[in-house]
Amino acid sequence: MLRRAWLSFLFASALAFPARAQVDLPRALVEAARAAPAGRRLPRVLSNRADGRVSLLAERLDAAQPWPPFVTPLGGKWAALELEPERLPELYEAHPGFRFEWSPGRRLLMDRADGWVRASLARAQSGRSGKGVVIGIVDSGVDVAHADLRRAGGSTRVRWFLDFSRPVLGRHPELEAELGCGSQNDCAVYSAEDIDELIANGVTGDEPRDSVGHGTHVASLAAGNGLSSSPPRYVGVAPEAELMVAKVTATGSGISDADIVRAAEFLFARADELGAPAVLNLSLGSNFGPHDGSSALERALSELIGPAHPGRALVLAAGNSGGLYVDPAGRYPAPLGVHTELHLPAGDVARLPIVTPDRGSGGAGIDGWIELRSGDSVSLALELDGQTLLGPVAPGEAASEARGELEVTLQGQTDSPLSNPSARFLIRGSWPASSSFSLRVEGHGTLGVWLEGSGALDPTSSLGPLVPLALKEGTVNVPASSPELLAVGATLNRTDWIDSDGTPISMPAHGALAEAPLDTTA
C-alpha cells in the first residue's frame, strides 16, 4: 500500500522550473522494442500523420554530416521528415549526427477572443493601418472569398496560400519542391493570381478554404477591412496589410511541429521577396513539451527571427490552459487544472490522479509531460483503477503496453544535452467511463506535470484531463513559452456584469466541473 498518497501535494509550490529538457521518445521506444521479445511493434501513438507515418523535426548536430536523402531542409540546422514507424530503427542507426524530436499534434488556440482588442483606438493613436506590411497566418487557412479579406475591387489580399490539406498542384513546382510537396507530404501552393482565378471560375470549392473557421477569425482580427458590410463594421487592427496564409490543420492527429516550421519559413521567405516587414501569428500550441523555450519547435522558430532577420516578428497565443475548477463532490483537493507541481521526499511514494470529469464518447488521448531537477531520481508507473497498468519504469527506461483498444506509453526520467531531466507518458484509446488513471511516482524529486487531451478529451469540446491542486502559473503553452518569441495573453477587466439579454454573468476564480464556464479568471 502506498504511503501518504497525498504527501507530495502538501509540498506543491509555485517554483519555476528552469529545466532545458528534451527527450527523444521514438529513439527510446526503438531501443525498448529491440530488447523486447520478437514481434513487438512500435507503439501506434507515434503515428501522428493521417496515413500512419511519423512526423519529426530533425536537428543537425554536426554541420559536416550530410542531410538524409528523404528530409526537407528548413534552413540552418533544421529539417522536417515523415516516415513509416518501421523505418525508425534504420533512421537512428544510419544518422547518429542528428537529433530527432517528436511531439503529438498541436491544436488551435485563441478561439475565445472577444471585442476588447480596441483596434480602432490602436489605428487612431498610431496613425497606421498595416499598409506595406505582411501579416502571416499559420492556422486553419482562411476563407479567401470573404469580402473582409478582399480589396474593394474584389481581388484577394492573400498574396500566398500554403495548404497542407491538398495534394501538389504543380502551379509553383520550385516552391512545392522546396517544401517537400508530393514526395514527403501533401501540400499545395497558391499565389494571389491563382486565388483570383479560382474565385472567378464559378466552380465551388476548388479555391483554398478554411473548413474550421479559426484561421478566418484570427485573420479578421488582425487585418479584416470590414468590406463585408456597408458601412464597414468589423475592421481589424491592420486593415491595409497584405496577407499570407498557411493551412496546417491536415495531419490527422493535430498540427505537426514540422508543418509549423515549414509554414513559418515559407511565409517569411515570400515576404522577403516583396521586401516587406512581416509578422506571423501562430494561434496554436499545447501543454506538451518543456515550458522554457528548449523544444525543437521553439528553437527552430526562434532561428527565423532576431538580429539576423530584421523586419520579422513571431506572435503566439499564450493559450487557454489557465482555467481552475472545483469538484463539487470534494473527491480531489481543489483546484483542478492542467498543471501542478509536487515534491517527493526521498524514498516516498505518491499517486497523482488524472481526472477526466466530462469525457465524451469515442476514443480519447492523454499526453503527460513531466519535468524534474538535476539530482532527482524517480521511477514512474501508470495505474488504472488502482492497479498497475504499465511500469514501474526506472530512469533511462521506456515501455509501452496495449490492452485491447487501450495503449499506454511511458518514458522514464531521461537526461538531455539541453540540461535537466524530463519524462512523459501517452494514453490512447477507450476505457470505461467509471475508470480513472493515476501516475505513481517513487523516489525523490520535485516534479512539474502538464496534461494535454485529444479526441473525446480535446479541450475545445471538454475540460480535458485535469490534476488536483493545480497551478495557474506555468500554463503558457508551447511554443509561446520561448523567451525569443512574443506570447500574447488576455486580461480581464471585470468579473461580474450584465449581458445584452439582461442576464447576470459571474466569472469566478474557480469554475465548476458541471456546466463549467469557458474559463475562470484570466
Side-chain angles (χ1 to χ4, degrees):
M1 183 175 180
L2 296 180
R3 299 183 292 114
R4 294 174 288 175
W6 290 105
L7 176 62
S8 53
F9 293 104
L10 298 179
F11 291 90
S13 69
L15 293 175
F17 273 74
R20 304 194 60 78
Q22 185 180 13
V23 181
D24 190 340
L25 179 60
R27 184 190 297 271
L29 292 175
V30 164
E31 294 173 353
R34 284 172 173 162
R40 182 67 176 269
R41 62 173 177 81
L42 289 169
R44 62 190 179 204
V45 69
L46 293 178
S47 300
N48 52 357
R49 287 285 191 183
D51 60 4
R53 290 178 300 161
V54 179
S55 179
L56 300 169
L57 270 177
E59 181 181 8
R60 183 163 59 180
L61 305 178
D62 181 357
Q65 289 285 330
W67 286 111
F70 44 84
V71 306
T72 303
L74 298 173
K77 61 183 179 181
W78 300 98
L81 71 152
E82 286 77 27
L83 75 171
E84 295 73 19
E86 56 269 20
R87 294 181 61 192
L88 284 170
E90 169 197 344
L91 174 71
Y92 285 111
E93 184 173 345
H95 303 286
F98 293 83
R99 180 183 294 122
F100 302 96
E101 181 163 310
W102 173 93
S103 174
R106 309 293 176 179
R107 60 184 176 86
L108 299 174
L109 301 173
M110 211 195 75
D111 52 333
R112 305 169 192 180
D114 59 18
W116 294 101
V117 295
R118 303 187 191 271
S120 59
L121 181 63
R123 290 193 302 275
Q125 291 185 346
S126 68
R128 298 178 178 179
S129 60
K131 189 173 183 179
V133 174
V134 167
I135 293 179
I137 306 295
V138 180
D139 211 285
S140 62
V142 300
D143 178 3
V144 295
H146 198 292
D148 283 1
L149 304 181
R150 297 163 76 176
R151 296 184 175 87
S155 61
T156 184
R157 294 169 56 206
V158 179
R159 296 295 296 265
W160 290 97
F161 194 121
L162 170 61
D163 190 343
F164 284 107
S165 70
R166 296 192 176 189
V168 61
L169 289 177
R171 289 175 177 254
H172 306 279
E174 292 183 2
L175 295 178
E176 289 169 334
E178 290 176 7
L179 291 160
C181 300
S183 60
Q184 295 295 322
N185 57 300
D186 285 340
C187 51
V189 176
Y190 302 81
S191 67
E193 293 75 18
D194 299 330
I195 294 171
D196 283 337
E197 174 191 331
L198 294 170
I199 291 176
N201 67 7
V203 178
T204 301
D206 63 343
E207 70 275 9
R209 304 297 294 267
D210 175 13
S211 58
V212 178
H214 186 274
T216 304
H217 169 66
V218 170
S220 67
L221 288 171
N225 58 21
L227 294 183
S228 61
S229 58
S230 181
R233 183 178 181 185
Y234 301 108
V235 183
V237 177
E240 293 190 287
E242 300 284 349
L243 285 165
M244 294 185 183
V245 177
K247 181 176 182 177
V248 291
T249 51
T251 65
S253 300
I255 303 166
S256 77
D257 289 0
D259 283 350
I260 294 171
V261 180
R262 277 189 180 102
E265 197 278 334
F266 174 83
L267 297 183
F268 275 138
R270 303 289 75 74
D272 287 348
E273 290 174 351
L274 292 178
V279 55
L280 267 56
N281 184 90
L282 283 71
S283 292
L284 48 81
S286 74
N287 300 311
F288 190 88
H291 286 60
D292 59 6
S294 66
S295 70
L297 174 59
E298 290 167 316
R299 291 185 293 120
L301 290 175
S302 296
E303 292 188 12
L304 297 176
I305 59 172
H309 302 286
R312 292 182 177 186
L314 271 167
V315 178
L316 302 101
N320 304 316
S321 298
L324 299 176
Y325 305 95
V326 173
D327 177 11
R331 292 166 294 183
Y332 307 101
L336 300 174
V338 302
H339 168 55
T340 193
E341 297 179 7
L342 57 98
H343 176 70
L344 196 68
D348 213 338
V349 182
R351 285 189 180 97
L352 175 63
I354 300 171
V355 184
T356 56
D358 59 347
R359 178 165 63 94
S361 59
I366 302 173
D367 302 324
W369 182 271
I370 304 165
E371 297 208 8
L372 303 101
R373 298 180 186 274
S374 296
D376 291 349
S377 179
V378 299
S379 63
L380 304 169
L382 284 170
E383 297 181 341
L384 181 63
D385 296 331
Q387 301 298 314
T388 299
L389 182 62
L390 180 64
V393 172
E397 296 181 349
S400 63
E401 180 73 25
R403 296 188 183 181
E405 295 299 314
L406 179 64
E407 181 179 278
V408 292
T409 299
L410 180 60
Q411 181 170 25
Q413 174 183 332
T414 307
D415 292 330
S416 164
L418 298 178
S419 185
N420 284 1
S422 62
R424 59 182 98 179
F425 61 87
L426 307 166
I427 300 171
R428 294 288 188 278
S430 301
W431 58 91
S434 59
S435 295
S436 60
F437 294 96
S438 295
L439 175 69
R440 190 173 76 233
V441 186
E442 182 173 3
H444 66 88
T446 300
L447 291 75
V449 181
W450 289 263
L451 299 182
E452 182 71 33
S454 59
L457 288 172
D458 191 299
T460 60
S461 57
S462 76
L463 293 179
L466 306 172
V467 290
L469 281 177
L471 300 169
K472 189 180 295 288
E473 296 81 4
T475 56
V476 172
N477 283 181
V478 178
S481 58
S482 169
E484 305 297 327
L485 309 174
L486 299 176
V488 180
T491 59
L492 196 70
N493 69 333
R494 53 185 174 173
T495 57
D496 297 276
W497 67 94
I498 305 296
D499 70 7
S500 59
D501 295 327
T503 303
I505 304 295
S506 179
M507 188 67 75
H510 296 164
L513 292 183
E515 299 182 1
L518 288 178
D519 199 1
T520 53
T521 304

Short mmCIF file of all heavy atoms in Angstrom, two decimals, residues 45 354 356 359 362-368 406-407 425-431 437 451-459 462 464-465:
data_model
loop_
_atom_site.label_atom_id
_atom_site.label_comp_id
_atom_site.label_asym_id
_atom_site.label_seq_id
_atom_site.Cartn_x
_atom_site.Cartn_y
_atom_site.Cartn_z
N VAL A 45 0.95 5.14 -31.18
CA VAL A 45 0.81 6.54 -30.81
C VAL A 45 1.83 7.41 -31.53
O VAL A 45 1.61 8.61 -31.75
CB VAL A 45 0.95 6.71 -29.28
CG1 VAL A 45 2.38 6.45 -28.84
CG2 VAL A 45 0.53 8.10 -28.85
N ILE A 354 -5.41 11.41 -12.36
CA ILE A 354 -5.70 12.08 -13.62
C ILE A 354 -7.21 12.07 -13.78
O ILE A 354 -7.82 11.02 -13.97
CB ILE A 354 -5.01 11.38 -14.80
CG1 ILE A 354 -3.49 11.38 -14.58
CG2 ILE A 354 -5.36 12.06 -16.12
CD1 ILE A 354 -2.73 10.52 -15.57
N THR A 356 -10.83 12.96 -15.43
CA THR A 356 -11.47 13.22 -16.72
C THR A 356 -12.97 13.38 -16.48
O THR A 356 -13.76 12.48 -16.77
CB THR A 356 -11.19 12.09 -17.72
OG1 THR A 356 -11.61 10.84 -17.16
CG2 THR A 356 -9.71 12.00 -18.02
N ARG A 359 -15.49 13.52 -20.03
CA ARG A 359 -15.04 12.86 -21.25
C ARG A 359 -16.23 12.45 -22.10
O ARG A 359 -17.16 11.80 -21.64
CB ARG A 359 -14.19 11.63 -20.89
CG ARG A 359 -13.72 10.84 -22.12
CD ARG A 359 -12.62 9.88 -21.73
NE ARG A 359 -13.06 8.87 -20.78
CZ ARG A 359 -13.50 7.66 -21.13
NH1 ARG A 359 -13.58 7.33 -22.40
NH2 ARG A 359 -13.85 6.79 -20.22
N GLY A 362 -16.34 7.95 -27.53
CA GLY A 362 -15.30 7.71 -28.52
C GLY A 362 -13.92 7.65 -27.90
O GLY A 362 -13.74 7.82 -26.69
N GLY A 363 -12.93 7.42 -28.76
CA GLY A 363 -11.56 7.32 -28.29
C GLY A 363 -11.03 8.65 -27.78
O GLY A 363 -11.48 9.72 -28.18
N ALA A 364 -10.08 8.56 -26.87
CA ALA A 364 -9.51 9.76 -26.25
C ALA A 364 -8.01 9.59 -26.10
O ALA A 364 -7.47 8.49 -26.21
CB ALA A 364 -10.16 10.01 -24.89
N GLY A 365 -7.36 10.71 -25.87
CA GLY A 365 -5.92 10.69 -25.64
C GLY A 365 -5.54 11.58 -24.48
O GLY A 365 -6.17 12.62 -24.26
N ILE A 366 -4.53 11.18 -23.73
CA ILE A 366 -3.95 11.99 -22.65
C ILE A 366 -2.44 11.99 -22.84
O ILE A 366 -1.81 10.94 -22.90
CB ILE A 366 -4.29 11.42 -21.26
CG1 ILE A 366 -5.80 11.34 -21.05
CG2 ILE A 366 -3.66 12.29 -20.17
CD1 ILE A 366 -6.20 10.64 -19.76
N ASP A 367 -1.86 13.18 -22.99
CA ASP A 367 -0.42 13.33 -23.12
C ASP A 367 0.09 14.03 -21.87
O ASP A 367 -0.38 15.12 -21.52
CB ASP A 367 -0.06 14.17 -24.35
CG ASP A 367 -0.61 13.57 -25.63
OD1 ASP A 367 -0.63 12.33 -25.72
OD2 ASP A 367 -1.00 14.34 -26.53
N GLY A 368 1.05 13.41 -21.19
CA GLY A 368 1.60 13.97 -19.97
C GLY A 368 3.06 14.30 -20.11
O GLY A 368 3.85 13.49 -20.60
N LEU A 406 -6.91 0.01 -25.74
CA LEU A 406 -6.15 0.96 -24.93
C LEU A 406 -4.65 0.73 -25.12
O LEU A 406 -4.18 -0.41 -25.04
CB LEU A 406 -6.51 0.80 -23.45
CG LEU A 406 -5.78 1.71 -22.45
CD1 LEU A 406 -6.13 3.18 -22.71
CD2 LEU A 406 -6.15 1.32 -21.02
N GLU A 407 -3.92 1.80 -25.38
CA GLU A 407 -2.46 1.72 -25.49
C GLU A 407 -1.84 2.79 -24.60
O GLU A 407 -2.27 3.95 -24.63
CB GLU A 407 -2.00 1.92 -26.93
CG GLU A 407 -0.48 1.83 -27.10
CD GLU A 407 -0.04 2.01 -28.54
OE1 GLU A 407 -0.09 1.02 -29.29
OE2 GLU A 407 0.34 3.13 -28.90
N PHE A 425 4.36 10.59 -20.60
CA PHE A 425 3.50 9.42 -20.78
C PHE A 425 2.40 9.77 -21.77
O PHE A 425 1.98 10.92 -21.90
CB PHE A 425 2.92 8.93 -19.44
CG PHE A 425 2.04 9.92 -18.73
CD1 PHE A 425 0.67 10.00 -18.99
CD2 PHE A 425 2.57 10.76 -17.76
CE1 PHE A 425 -0.13 10.91 -18.32
CE2 PHE A 425 1.77 11.68 -17.08
CZ PHE A 425 0.41 11.74 -17.36
N LEU A 426 1.94 8.73 -22.49
CA LEU A 426 0.92 8.89 -23.53
C LEU A 426 -0.12 7.81 -23.35
O LEU A 426 0.21 6.62 -23.20
CB LEU A 426 1.56 8.79 -24.92
CG LEU A 426 2.75 9.70 -25.20
CD1 LEU A 426 3.48 9.25 -26.45
CD2 LEU A 426 2.29 11.14 -25.35
N ILE A 427 -1.38 8.18 -23.39
CA ILE A 427 -2.50 7.25 -23.26
C ILE A 427 -3.40 7.44 -24.47
O ILE A 427 -3.78 8.57 -24.79
CB ILE A 427 -3.29 7.51 -21.96
CG1 ILE A 427 -2.39 7.33 -20.73
CG2 ILE A 427 -4.51 6.59 -21.88
CD1 ILE A 427 -3.03 7.77 -19.42
N ARG A 428 -3.75 6.36 -25.15
CA ARG A 428 -4.62 6.43 -26.32
C ARG A 428 -5.65 5.30 -26.28
O ARG A 428 -5.32 4.18 -25.88
CB ARG A 428 -3.82 6.29 -27.61
CG ARG A 428 -2.86 7.39 -27.92
CD ARG A 428 -3.58 8.68 -28.34
NE ARG A 428 -2.63 9.67 -28.80
CZ ARG A 428 -1.92 10.47 -28.01
NH1 ARG A 428 -2.07 10.35 -26.69
NH2 ARG A 428 -1.08 11.36 -28.49
N GLY A 429 -6.88 5.60 -26.72
CA GLY A 429 -7.86 4.54 -26.86
C GLY A 429 -9.13 4.79 -26.10
O GLY A 429 -9.56 5.93 -25.90
N SER A 430 -9.74 3.70 -25.64
CA SER A 430 -11.01 3.76 -24.92
C SER A 430 -10.89 3.04 -23.59
O SER A 430 -10.15 2.06 -23.47
CB SER A 430 -12.13 3.11 -25.76
OG SER A 430 -12.27 3.76 -27.01
N TRP A 431 -11.62 3.51 -22.60
CA TRP A 431 -11.67 2.88 -21.29
C TRP A 431 -13.02 3.21 -20.67
O TRP A 431 -13.68 4.19 -21.06
CB TRP A 431 -10.51 3.33 -20.41
CG TRP A 431 -10.41 4.81 -20.17
CD1 TRP A 431 -10.97 5.52 -19.15
CD2 TRP A 431 -9.72 5.78 -20.98
NE1 TRP A 431 -10.68 6.86 -19.25
CE2 TRP A 431 -9.90 7.04 -20.36
CE3 TRP A 431 -8.96 5.70 -22.15
CZ2 TRP A 431 -9.36 8.21 -20.89
CZ3 TRP A 431 -8.41 6.85 -22.66
CH2 TRP A 431 -8.61 8.09 -22.04
N PHE A 437 -7.28 7.00 -14.27
CA PHE A 437 -5.84 6.75 -14.27
C PHE A 437 -5.16 7.48 -13.12
O PHE A 437 -5.67 8.49 -12.61
CB PHE A 437 -5.21 7.21 -15.58
CG PHE A 437 -5.65 6.44 -16.79
CD1 PHE A 437 -6.68 6.91 -17.59
CD2 PHE A 437 -5.03 5.24 -17.13
CE1 PHE A 437 -7.08 6.21 -18.71
CE2 PHE A 437 -5.43 4.53 -18.24
CZ PHE A 437 -6.47 5.02 -19.04
N LEU A 451 -0.72 18.31 -18.52
CA LEU A 451 -1.55 17.37 -19.27
C LEU A 451 -2.14 18.04 -20.50
O LEU A 451 -2.46 19.23 -20.49
CB LEU A 451 -2.70 16.85 -18.41
CG LEU A 451 -2.34 16.07 -17.13
CD1 LEU A 451 -3.63 15.59 -16.46
CD2 LEU A 451 -1.43 14.90 -17.44
N GLU A 452 -2.29 17.27 -21.56
CA GLU A 452 -2.95 17.71 -22.78
C GLU A 452 -3.91 16.60 -23.22
O GLU A 452 -3.55 15.43 -23.18
CB GLU A 452 -1.93 17.99 -23.88
CG GLU A 452 -2.51 18.50 -25.17
CD GLU A 452 -3.02 19.93 -25.06
OE1 GLU A 452 -2.43 20.72 -24.30
OE2 GLU A 452 -4.02 20.25 -25.74
N GLY A 453 -5.11 16.96 -23.64
CA GLY A 453 -6.10 15.97 -24.06
C GLY A 453 -6.36 16.03 -25.54
O GLY A 453 -6.14 17.05 -26.20
N SER A 454 -6.85 14.92 -26.11
CA SER A 454 -7.22 14.87 -27.52
C SER A 454 -8.41 13.94 -27.67
O SER A 454 -8.81 13.24 -26.73
CB SER A 454 -6.04 14.38 -28.38
OG SER A 454 -5.62 13.09 -27.98
N GLY A 455 -8.98 13.92 -28.87
CA GLY A 455 -10.15 13.08 -29.10
C GLY A 455 -11.31 13.52 -28.22
O GLY A 455 -11.68 14.69 -28.19
N ALA A 456 -11.89 12.58 -27.48
CA ALA A 456 -13.01 12.90 -26.59
C ALA A 456 -12.59 13.78 -25.42
O ALA A 456 -13.45 14.27 -24.69
CB ALA A 456 -13.63 11.62 -26.06
N LEU A 457 -11.29 14.01 -25.25
CA LEU A 457 -10.78 14.89 -24.20
C LEU A 457 -10.14 16.15 -24.76
O LEU A 457 -9.40 16.83 -24.07
CB LEU A 457 -9.77 14.14 -23.32
CG LEU A 457 -10.35 13.08 -22.38
CD1 LEU A 457 -9.23 12.28 -21.72
CD2 LEU A 457 -11.24 13.72 -21.32
N ASP A 458 -10.43 16.46 -26.02
CA ASP A 458 -9.90 17.69 -26.61
C ASP A 458 -10.45 18.89 -25.85
O ASP A 458 -11.66 19.00 -25.64
CB ASP A 458 -10.31 17.77 -28.08
CG ASP A 458 -9.56 18.88 -28.82
OD1 ASP A 458 -9.71 20.05 -28.41
OD2 ASP A 458 -8.85 18.58 -29.78
N PRO A 459 -9.58 19.81 -25.43
CA PRO A 459 -10.05 20.96 -24.64
C PRO A 459 -11.02 21.88 -25.37
O PRO A 459 -11.69 22.69 -24.74
CB PRO A 459 -8.75 21.71 -24.30
CG PRO A 459 -7.68 20.69 -24.41
CD PRO A 459 -8.12 19.78 -25.51
N SER A 462 -14.26 19.87 -24.29
CA SER A 462 -14.41 19.42 -22.91
C SER A 462 -13.37 20.13 -22.06
O SER A 462 -12.57 20.91 -22.57
CB SER A 462 -14.21 17.90 -22.81
OG SER A 462 -12.83 17.56 -22.91
N GLY A 464 -11.05 18.53 -20.72
CA GLY A 464 -9.83 17.76 -20.91
C GLY A 464 -9.40 17.07 -19.63
O GLY A 464 -10.09 17.09 -18.61
N PRO A 465 -8.22 16.44 -19.62
CA PRO A 465 -7.71 15.79 -18.41
C PRO A 465 -7.20 16.84 -17.42
O PRO A 465 -6.60 17.85 -17.82
CB PRO A 465 -6.57 14.91 -18.93
CG PRO A 465 -6.11 15.60 -20.17
CD PRO A 465 -7.32 16.25 -20.78
#
